[in-house]
Amino acid sequence: MLRLIFLAAALLTTLAWGMGYVWISGLACAFGSPGGDCSIPLPWSLRGEDLTLLVLMPGAVVASLLALAWLSGRRAQKSES
């Protein structure tokens, strides 16, 4: 049961990250490009603070939730046997 909660939290976090990334990139285009000719950068093309705040930190949260789901699944298997 706990494993499903962690997996659902990881899925929701991933979806929220995706929507937030597109929203923040859209704001950057709207306020940073006077001609309006702008595209959303791919996550792996970011550098510095942008990479840390928009990719690495959300990725660490998702990875932590997935690790917790894996650990809770292992613990449940050990208690059954």
Side-chain angles (χ1 to χ4, degrees), residues 58-75:
V61 171
V62 171
S64 298
L65 289 169
L66 291 174
L68 287 170
W70 178 71
L71 286 173
S72 65
R74 283 191 57 185
R75 187 177 187 128

Side-chain angles (χ1 to χ4, degrees), residues 7-72:
L7 288 173
L11 177 65
L12 289 174
T13 303
T14 303
L15 291 174
W17 169 78
M19 292 186 324
Y21 182 80
V22 170
W23 181 63
I24 290 171
S25 296
L27 286 175
C29 279
F31 291 109
S33 177
D37 198 21
C38 187
S39 63
I40 295 174
L42 296 174
W44 50 86
S45 68
L46 298 175
R47 302 283 181 261
E49 291 177 343
D50 293 339
L51 178 68
T52 302
L53 292 173
L54 297 176
V55 178
L56 297 179
M57 291 176 73
V61 171
V62 171
S64 298
L65 289 169
L66 291 174
L68 287 170
W70 178 71
L71 286 173
S72 65

